[in-house]
């Protein structure tokens, strides 16, 4: 029986391994993490991450061939294939602070694997890593003296949060990078076999290690670039009365451009886009490619501009003062269908509103606990309210920041009646029916569209 281990039970490791276990009933899959609370949650009915459809996949395999544990060392000793899916945050110290990836957790794992292994193993990079990290890992793993051999592969994960299960079930592609040597090819084949249990062979792409590592960063950079591109145009739309939705539709029908990822918004968030672009920027800088670095850095700068622009517009439209005004933020997660708030535009927006001395109240169906952690230093100045009606009661403005589908069907007449007049609604996701809201009496501002005002 093939034994798979995954180190790191996060947003990537947990769902991915659950799917692998479900699709390969004859393979034993163990997911380990040093965080006891996380592992306890994976073993409970209350999983540590909110992801539609995840419960069913975990329940189908847990206790049969899927196990969650804190016993990292036992897992390493037993495993044939080890996925490393630990966090690789942006460095906050030393060289490359604020840009480069912090690889300390990865390196610690590699050293532990080396220390404990008594049989040959395939070590798979699942975390997103800078190009040529595998070379460093190989140097660490090859420094052992007990004759154990390690094959390092890169197998980046492309799932998006909120749609993780659908993405895993039916991926656009599975990417596996390895060395073109006989041993490398054998390792690649072993990993291909794991995915071939449910993914059509033509969707399993094998490349050299460096192409695989770089493809992950490039995919995220291209996706984020599309959002920043349409968001830059949204600013121009607001200045010219063009409608960004109409522009996106018109350009998206060009088959060379395509319709996806052209939704103007308050800005992109999530644990990947900013981190991976900064990682790419650092990588380019370190190879002396300053123009290339600057090109990609602009994608992040445009995103920050879009977040700040949203707050500036609120301030300007609300008579240049929001001090003492109650503002209800509808949504705090970085996108709908997740409780994740990492790099959510809502974090900066909440803080900027506080800077203006606004009274901030936050509502979200899944993300309030994370919101409290993100805003821990200013928690006394913020209200957290699960009920959107209560959040909006007595408010001067509602700002929709996450496109939760439940926000579409709220009784906006009731919300309007409970608000201070004139009532303002800022739709940071172009998610609501603006004409209907305007008819109720709201002054409606959206992204990249003309305002619908009464005053
Ligand atoms: C992303 C990649 O899509 C995924 O392939 C990779 O593995 C991890 O990073 P994720 O961050 O989970 O996934 O979500 P995604 O759907 O890509 O959205 C990222 C951000 O962009 C969200 O804040 C979202 O609201 C925003 N976005 C996305 C837009 O503002 N407009 C769009 O048209 C699309
Ligand atoms: P992602 O969103 O990429 O999955 P997360 O930060 O959610 O990333 O998850 C990474 C997980 O890796 C965390 O739960 C963390 O506790 C775990 N982790 C980090 N270092 C180690 C380690 N040395 N051994 C086991 N688990 C680790």
């Amino acid at each position: 029986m093939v034994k798979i281990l995954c180190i790191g039970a996060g947003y990537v490791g947990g769902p991915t391994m659950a799917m692998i276990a479900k699709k390969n009933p004859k393979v034993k899959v163990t997911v380990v993490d040093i965080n006891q609370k996380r592992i306890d949650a994976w073993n409970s009915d209350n999983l540590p991450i909110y992801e539609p459809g995840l419960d069913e996949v975990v329940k189908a395999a847990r206790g049969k061939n899927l196990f969650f544990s804190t016993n990292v060392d036992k897992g390493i000793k037993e495993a044939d294939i080890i996925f490393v899916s630990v966090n690789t945050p942006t460095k906050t110290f030393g060289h490359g602070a604020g840009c480069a990836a912090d690889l300390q957790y990865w390196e610690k794992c590699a050293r532990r694997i080396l220390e404990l292994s008594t049989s040959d193993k395939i070590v798979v990079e699942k975390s997103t890593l800078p190009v040529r990290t595998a070379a460093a890992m190989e140097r660490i793993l090859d420094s052992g003296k007990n004759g154990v051999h390690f094959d390092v592969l890169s197998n980046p994960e492309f799932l998006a949060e909120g749609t993780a299960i659908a993405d895993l079930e039916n991926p656009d592609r599975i990417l596996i990078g390895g060395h073109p040597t006989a041993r490398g090819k054998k390792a690649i084949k072993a990993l291909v076999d794991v995915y071939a249990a449910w993914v059509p062979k033509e969707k399993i792409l094998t490349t050299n290690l460096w192409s695989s590592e770089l493809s992950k960063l490039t995919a995220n950079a291209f996706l984020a670039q599309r959002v920043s591109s349409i968001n830059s145009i949204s600013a121009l739309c607001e200045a010219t009365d063009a409608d960004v939705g109409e522009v996106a539709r018109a350009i998206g029908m060009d088959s060379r451009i395509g319709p996806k990822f052209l939704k103007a918004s308050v800005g992109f968030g999530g644990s990947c886009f900013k981190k991976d672009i900064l990682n790419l920027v650092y990588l380019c800088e370190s190879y002396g490619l300053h123009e290339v670095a600057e090109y990609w850095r602009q994608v992040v700068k445009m995103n920050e501009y879009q977040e700040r622009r949203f707050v500036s517009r609120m301030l300007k439209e609300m008579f240049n003062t929001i001090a003492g005004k109650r503002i209800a933020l509808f949504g705090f997660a970085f996108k709908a269908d997740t409780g994740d708030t990492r790099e959510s535009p809502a974090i900066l927006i909440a803080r900027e509103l506080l800077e203006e001395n606004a009274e901030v109240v936050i509502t979200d169906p899944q993300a309030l606990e994370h919101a409290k952690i993100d805003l821990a230093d200013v928690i006394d100045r913020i209200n957290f309210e699960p009920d959107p009606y209560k959040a909006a009661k007595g408010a001067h403005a509602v700002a929709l920041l996450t496109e939760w589908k439940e926000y579409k069907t709220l009784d906006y007449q009731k919300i309007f009646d409970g608000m201070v007049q004139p009532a303002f609604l800022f739709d940071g996701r172009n998610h609501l029916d603006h004409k209907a809201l305007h008819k109720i009496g709201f002054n409606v501002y959206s992204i990249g569209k003309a305002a619908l005002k009464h005053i």
Side-chain angles (χ1 to χ4, degrees):
M1 188 192 231
V2 177
K3 294 196 186 72
I4 290 180
L5 175 75
C6 176
I7 306 180
Y11 287 86
V12 172
T16 312
M17 292 304 126
M19 185 61 76
I20 287 180
K22 183 184 161 194
K23 300 292 186 181
N24 292 276
K26 291 205 174 106
V27 172
K28 181 181 173 193
V29 181
T30 307
V31 187
V32 292
D33 201 295
I34 41 177
N35 182 337
Q36 179 77 52
K37 251 176 80 187
R38 247 190 181 177
I39 290 298
D40 290 346
W42 280 110
N43 281 320
S44 76
D45 284 337
N46 203 0
L47 300 183
I49 61 178
Y50 173 72
E51 189 65 63
L54 178 63
D55 281 34
E56 289 73 22
V57 180
V58 170
K59 275 187 192 142
R62 197 174 55 193
K64 294 183 190 125
N65 67 327
L66 174 65
F67 304 92
F68 294 94
S69 159
T70 50
N71 197 338
V72 181
D73 292 359
K74 179 168 174 272
I76 291 175
K77 281 183 204 148
E78 281 182 4
D80 305 303
I81 302 177
I82 303 178
F83 287 86
V84 184
S85 190
V86 300
N87 29 342
T88 49
T90 305
K91 264 183 97 175
T92 53
F93 54 90
H95 276 274
C99 219
D102 182 350
L103 298 175
Q104 59 172 313
Y105 308 105
W106 227 106
E107 185 173 333
K108 272 187 197 127
C109 278
R111 291 188 187 279
R112 198 83 191 129
I113 292 169
L114 173 65
E115 210 177 311
L116 293 168
S117 294
T118 50
S119 59
D120 292 357
K121 299 186 193 299
I122 296 171
V123 178
V124 187
E125 295 178 346
K126 199 61 171 160
S127 320
T128 303
L129 295 160
V131 189
R132 297 203 72 86
T133 302
M137 291 310 142
E138 281 172 341
R139 283 181 61 197
I140 293 174
L141 292 169
D142 289 345
S143 67
K145 296 189 174 57
N146 61 354
V148 173
H149 187 91
F150 298 95
D151 290 291
V152 177
L153 299 178
S154 158
N155 171 222
E157 183 49 59
F158 294 98
L159 68 79
E161 287 176 34
T163 54
I165 297 305
D167 295 344
L168 287 165
E169 185 82 50
N170 191 16
D172 286 346
R173 78 314 210 171
I174 294 291
L175 180 58
I176 300 173
H179 289 304
T181 56
R183 278 205 71 112
K185 284 183 188 157
K186 204 171 146 218
I188 291 172
K189 169 148 190 333
L191 192 53
V192 167
D193 288 347
V194 170
Y195 286 104
W198 82 98
V199 180
K201 275 261 165 65
E202 62 276 13
K203 285 192 172 183
I204 305 179
L205 200 66
T206 58
T207 65
N208 81 30
L209 264 168
W210 328 122
S211 307
S212 173
E213 287 179 333
L214 184 56
S215 297
K216 172 66 187 184
L217 292 182
T218 308
N220 276 345
F222 269 58
L223 289 168
Q225 181 199 41
R226 277 176 75 97
V227 178
S228 274
S229 295
I230 199 70
N231 281 346
S232 74
I233 297 301
S234 77
L236 192 56
C237 285
E238 284 163 35
T240 57
D241 280 354
D243 179 318
V244 77
E246 291 179 355
V247 174
R249 183 147 187 263
I251 65 166
M253 283 172 78
D254 185 323
S255 59
R256 293 167 302 176
I257 296 174
K260 292 185 182 167
F261 258 72
L262 288 180
K263 242 186 142 314
S265 68
V266 64
F268 62 71
S271 69
C272 293
F273 281 1
K274 184 175 169 192
K275 180 186 78 163
D276 290 355
I277 292 176
L278 292 178
N279 203 324
L280 189 64
V281 166
Y282 183 75
L283 207 61
C284 293
E285 292 285 7
S286 58
Y287 285 100
L289 303 169
H290 305 296
E291 286 78 2
V292 185
E294 210 34 54
Y295 175 76
W296 287 109
R297 196 193 300 277
Q298 195 59 32
V299 173
V300 174
K301 280 193 191 161
M302 181 53 63
N303 197 52
E304 282 161 7
Y305 166 73
Q306 186 76 348
E307 293 175 1
R308 289 187 202 283
R309 203 169 72 77
F310 188 76
V311 179
S312 310
R313 195 166 184 220
M314 288 177 79
L315 185 62
K316 179 172 157 264
E317 297 300 340
M318 293 172 76
F319 320 113
N320 287 310
T321 173
I322 51 174
K325 292 181 181 170
R326 182 174 167 96
I327 296 181
L329 302 185
F330 276 26
F332 202 84
F334 80 94
K335 64 189 277 197
D337 288 328
T338 178
D340 195 355
T341 60
R342 288 178 290 178
E343 299 297 339
S344 177
I347 300 172
L348 182 131
I349 289 167
R351 287 184 184 280
E352 294 243 316
L353 294 174
L354 287 180
E355 283 284 302
E356 292 293 334
N357 285 337
E359 187 195 317
V360 176
V361 50
I362 297 172
T363 186
D364 189 289
Q366 292 293 339
L368 285 189
E369 290 316 307
H370 281 145
K372 287 177 192 166
I373 298 167
D374 295 328
L375 299 169
D377 55 319
V378 285
I379 199 157
D380 300 342
R381 299 179 58 200
I382 297 180
N383 287 309
F384 298 90
E385 172 53 65
D387 179 348
Y389 293 103
K390 286 189 188 152
K393 193 146 183 60
H396 292 251
V398 166
L400 186 143
L401 302 184
T402 312
E403 69 285 20
W404 286 103
K405 61 177 173 309
E406 40 270 68
Y407 294 158
K408 268 191 190 292
T409 51
L410 294 174
D411 180 348
Y412 281 94
Q413 181 68 56
K414 182 174 157 188
I415 288 175
F416 178 78
D417 292 343
M419 287 175 67
V420 175
Q421 305 300 328
F424 291 84
L425 196 142
F426 297 89
D427 185 351
R429 296 284 178 173
N430 292 348
H431 185 56
L432 304 175
D433 181 342
H434 300 151
K435 279 196 186 128
L437 291 169
H438 183 243
K439 211 165 148 211
I440 289 172
F442 282 103
N443 295 289
V444 185
Y445 301 84
S446 42
I447 306 282
K449 292 173 194 279
L452 299 174
K453 307 192 228 185
H454 292 282
I455 46 168

